[in-house]
Every structure is written in C-alpha cells, then in structure tokens.
C-alpha cells in the first residue's frame, strides 16, 4: 500500500520555464522548449518536475507576483502548450507539480485594482487594510535589508495594506471564506490541466491571522485540512509540498496527527544543519535535526534539498553556527542576503570540488525524504553575483557550447548566461558532460538510479 505513495519514491527536479529552454528565439524560456528537454530529464531519472510560477505576472519577484491565476504568461506559451507539456511529461512517467502562490497577489491583479478603487467592492475584503499606519508596520519583513515595511499606504484606497513580502505583493485576506473558496478553485483548475500537486509557498503566512490589530500572528492549521480534503476528492494521488521553515515542535501541526494535512514539507532543519556539518566537519547538529524531525505520520514525507531558488536560509542556526557557515561558504558581503543567508549556487560554495559536491549529494540522496534537485546543479552550474538578490542563482540552463549556452538564439536572453570564469558555459554544459562518463551529470544519473533501487530510501525510513 505505502508503495502507492508516489511522492515517497520520487526524485523531484525544480525549474523555472523562463530560464530553461527557449524554443522560439525571443530570449525567454517557454513550454515548447521545455517539452524538447523532457527526454533529457527522463534520462537523468527524475520522476517529477516542480515548475516555478509561469502565470501572467509583472515579474517583479520572478513570477511570485501573480496577476491571473488561471492562465499561462504569453511569454512562455499558451494554455494549450501547457497541456501538451503535462501530457508529454505523463507519457514519460514524469509527474508535474507547480507553485501555488496564494499568500499574496501582484498589486496589478484585477482583484487588488478593484479593491483599492472601490471600498464597496466585494474584493475590498480580499485584502488586509488599515485606516491608520499600524504601529508594527516596520516589523516582520521577510526580505530585511531590501523590504522596508510590511504595511504601505495606497493613495487610491486611502488606506494602508498589509504585505508580508515586497510592497507590490499585497497579502490576500486568507481568512475570508471567498478567498478560501478561490484557492480551492485555483487548485481544481490546474489539476484539470494535468498537474498532480502543488508546492505551496509561505504556508505559515498563508494560514496566519492578518490585520492591523494582529501583533502576534496565529496559524489557523485547520485550513490545511480543508485544502488536503478538497485536493484528494478531486484527484486521489495529488499532493501538497509545503514551504514552511518552522521549528520541529510544530511539524505535526503541518502534517496533521492523522496525516490529514500536508503530504510533504521541505526539511529546512536538515538543510541548514547539513550545510553546518559540511562547513564545520561536525555532524552532531545534523543528527539532532534528523532526530527532531523524525516523528511523522506514515503517509507524510520530507522534501530534502541542498540549494533552491531562494537564498540558503541559515536563520534557524545559532549565531555561532551561522557565522561558521558564512565564513566557509559565503565570506564576502555580496554572497550574503537578507541578514540570514547565502545566495550562491552549490558548486561555487563547495569551491567546485567534485569530491565535496559528491559528498553533499550522497548525503541528500541517502537521508530520509524525497530529494529535490535544482536545475543546473546536476552539471555544477555557478552563479553571477552581479545580478541582484536571488537572481544570481537563477541564470539560464547551460546546454552546450553554442552561443548563450544553447539556451536561446536571441541576442539578449532574459537573464545573462554565465559566460566567464570556471563556471562559464564553455566549461560547464550538459552536452559535453553527456559525452564524458565521469562527468557530474553522469554521476548524478547514477546516484539517482541507486536511490530508486534502495527501498529504505523510498519509504524515508532509513
Ligand atoms: C516564496 C518563494 C520566494 C518568493 C516568496 C514571495 O518564499 O520561494 O521565491 O520570493 O515566496 O512570493
Ligand atoms: Ca521563448
């Protein structure tokens, strides 16, 4: 029975359509390009793809500022292309999950536009307002150093609105039943287009109480149950993978005592302590983190990762531990971000040292949980610290030695391809690594196969 739970036996690969493969030569990755690369992913052995946001968006936060939940951004293709893609993935036995970004919308979303224009609009209460500037407006920022506050004044609405993230991402009032119903509708819509689940972003914030009077937000965990229930009714095998960087004490609130809330959560505890272990050659805190995150219902599963599209968040380590990781993996100020993390890619952090990269991956692939690989890490891609904030580690996939790494035929790709230094595409690209049996790419393919063959890993009970 437990073998039916595909997500326990999955190898997830996360990618952003916009920087993966451009088929029509306009410099922006698209679904047709991604479709051409499905055989590459299949060959690598990944069994699920997690797509970063691809819906219409002003792209001020790399698509995490959505202005229409029910569409595909024309720069990536059409809804038709999307369904062709999910079908193509399915034919190869690859499942597709996608980001569910419902803590906030873009300020350009018609709901927010109407809410700010008309106080009597039904959408007014879809957001979180205050007549006066709340006293705690300068608290609780997720991007300290860049984001100045969590409340901003909107001239048109003549009121202050709440935004946990950037000011162009007004928070949805998630305790409003209409907003809750809309979230289910969004999930239901994409399930019909062929996805089998969601990576739900910022879950603790989505389920928190929000408002000018709320000094200490309280999580409404029961909301998670209704999301799960709905999803399971619509499609029994679909899942939610929660982004929730929380303390082990609250893990069970997210999984649910009876396993009736989130199917999966990213293991941020293990992630941070794993980097500490690599930096300090001290695995005791990692062992502790593994023990602390052990209790969970039989159907629940951890998502394990090394690097993702955000900064490596070290906020849960002690000050001393964090400094140790900074010293070792991100000593320069420009490598650090938001007063708590490192924004580099994996390979440069490990000095491009093959043995250390293999050690890090061997750990990830053998610890209890489902591995989540970031695109480009299978070939050891680097970063471009000239790009702002997290964009440095979001550069286009390096396919070959052709101009722009074979990512695009355009003169100007959406983000510059890394073309200088040891991580330039002339040295690091998929085509050359395919031909070399000892390349990192082929090593990754082999470890993925090994992982699938070890049943203990499957069940996350090592
Ligand atoms: C999530 C995403 C991050 C994004 C943020 C705001 O945490 O991982 O990339 O900036 O949500 O939407
Ligand atoms: Ca394109």
């Amino acid at each position: 029975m437990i073998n039916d739970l595909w997500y326990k036996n999955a190898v997830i690969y996360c990618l952003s359509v916009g920087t993966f493969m451009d088929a029509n030569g306009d410099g922006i990755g698209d679904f047709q390009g991604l479709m051409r690369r499905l055989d590459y992913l299949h060959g690598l052995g990944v069994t699920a793809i997690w797509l970063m946001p691809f819906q219409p968006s002003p792209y001020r936060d790399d698509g995490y500022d959505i202005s229409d939940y029910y569409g595909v951004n024309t720069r990536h293709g059409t809804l038709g292309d999307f369904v062709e893609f999910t079908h193509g993935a399915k034919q190869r036995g690859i499942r597709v999950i996608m980001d569910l970004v419902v803590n906030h919308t873009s300020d350009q979303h018609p709901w927010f536009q109407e809410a700010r224009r008309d106080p009597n609009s039904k959408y007014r209460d879809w957001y979180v307002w205050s007549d006066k500037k709340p006293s705690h407006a300068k608290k609780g920022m997720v991007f300290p150093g860049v984001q100045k506050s969590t409340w901003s004044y909107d001239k048109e609405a003549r009121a202050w609105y709440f935004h946990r993230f950037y000011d162009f991402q007004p928070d949805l009032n998630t305790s409003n039943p209409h907003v809750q119903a809309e979230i289910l509708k969004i999930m239901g819509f994409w399930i019909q287009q062929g996805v089998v689940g969601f990576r739900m972003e910022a879950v603790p914030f989505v389920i928190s109480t929000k408002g000018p009077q709320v000094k200490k937000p309280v999580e409404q965990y029961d909301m998670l149950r209704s999301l799960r229930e709905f999803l399971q009714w619509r499609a029994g095998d679909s899942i939610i993978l929660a982004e929730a960087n929380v303390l082990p004490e609250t893990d069970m609130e997210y999984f649910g005592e009876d396993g009736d809330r989130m199917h999966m959560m990213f293991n941020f505890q293990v992630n941070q302590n794993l980097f500490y272990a690599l930096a300090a050659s001290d695995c005791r805190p990692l062992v502790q983190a593994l023990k602390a995150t052990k209790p969970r219902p039989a159907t629940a599963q951890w998502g394990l990762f090394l690097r993702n599209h955000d900064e490596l968040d070290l906020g849960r380590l002690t000050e001393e531990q964090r400094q140790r990781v900074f010293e070792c993996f991100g000593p320069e100020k420009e490598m650090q971000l938001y007063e708590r993390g490192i924004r580099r890619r994996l390979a440069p952090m490990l000095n491009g040292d093959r043995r250390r990269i293999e050690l890090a991956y061997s750990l990830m692939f053998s610890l209890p949980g489902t591995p989540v690989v970031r695109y480009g890490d299978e070939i050891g891609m680097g970063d471009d610290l000239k790009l702002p904030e997290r964009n440095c580690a979001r550069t286009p996939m390096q396919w070959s030695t052709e101009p722009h790494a074979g990512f695009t035929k355009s003169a100007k790709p959406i983000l510059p391809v890394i073309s200088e230094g040891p991580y330039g595409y002339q040295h690091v690209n998929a085509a050359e690594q395919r031909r070399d049996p000892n390349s990192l790419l082929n090593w990754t393919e082999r470890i993925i196969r090994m992982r699938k063959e070890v049943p203990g890993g499957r069940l996350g009970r090592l």
Side-chain angles (χ1 to χ4, degrees), residues 82-273:
F82 181 82
V83 172
E84 282 297 296
F85 156 70
T86 54
H87 174 72
K90 195 171 170 193
Q91 272 188 320
R92 291 164 179 84
I94 300 177
R95 291 180 165 86
V96 179
I97 66 175
M98 61 182 271
D99 250 294
L100 181 66
V101 186
V102 290
N103 179 65
H104 47 262
T105 67
S106 158
D107 59 0
Q108 299 308 305
H109 197 294
W111 301 336
F112 187 69
Q113 290 298 328
E114 201 172 315
R116 75 203 300 203
R117 199 166 39 235
D118 178 4
N120 298 317
S121 150
K122 74 166 192 171
Y123 292 113
R124 186 74 162 200
D125 190 49
W126 282 40
Y127 294 88
V128 185
W129 302 98
S130 175
D131 293 336
K132 292 196 294 284
K133 180 176 181 177
S135 57
H136 51 292
K138 295 250 176 280
K139 296 216 170 80
M141 280 85 79
V142 176
F143 302 127
V146 182
Q147 183 189 353
K148 299 279 176 279
S149 71
T150 49
W151 287 87
S152 291
Y153 185 68
D154 185 65
K155 277 198 194 123
E156 201 172 344
R158 295 198 188 163
W160 295 76
Y161 65 94
F162 176 62
H163 52 90
R164 174 62 70 183
F165 295 87
Y166 298 110
D167 59 3
F168 52 82
Q169 291 167 321
D171 265 49
L172 281 164
N173 176 11
T174 41
S175 52
N176 178 330
H178 297 290
V179 171
Q180 292 178 2
E182 191 76 28
I183 294 175
L184 300 186
K185 195 164 150 187
I186 294 166
M187 298 202 310
F189 176 81
W190 289 105
I191 288 289
Q192 290 291 347
Q193 318 302 326
V195 310
V196 296
F198 302 92
R199 177 261 188 185
M200 190 168 171
E201 67 125 28
V203 178
F205 297 137
V206 175
I207 63 173
S208 274
T209 47
K210 312 178 185 191
Q213 312 309 342
V214 179
K215 295 242 158 64
K216 205 174 171 308
V218 183
E219 288 85 2
Q220 316 286 298
Y221 294 112
D222 237 20
M223 267 178 74
L224 301 177
R225 184 163 191 269
S226 47
L227 295 174
R228 163 92 177 236
E229 226 166 39
F230 169 83
L231 196 59
Q232 232 76 96
W233 276 112
R234 288 282 170 100
D237 63 346
S238 50
I239 61 147
I240 304 179
L241 162 55
E243 182 207 18
N245 184 351
V246 294
L247 292 171
E249 295 89 272
T250 43
D251 287 346
M252 286 307 290
E253 301 282 9
Y254 287 87
F255 285 134
E257 290 295 334
D258 304 321
D260 56 356
R261 291 176 183 166
M262 303 285 95
H263 304 74
M264 291 185 72
M265 274 171 88
F266 283 113
N267 200 329
F268 282 93
Q269 288 288 325
V270 162
N271 177 259
Q272 309 189 16
N273 285 290

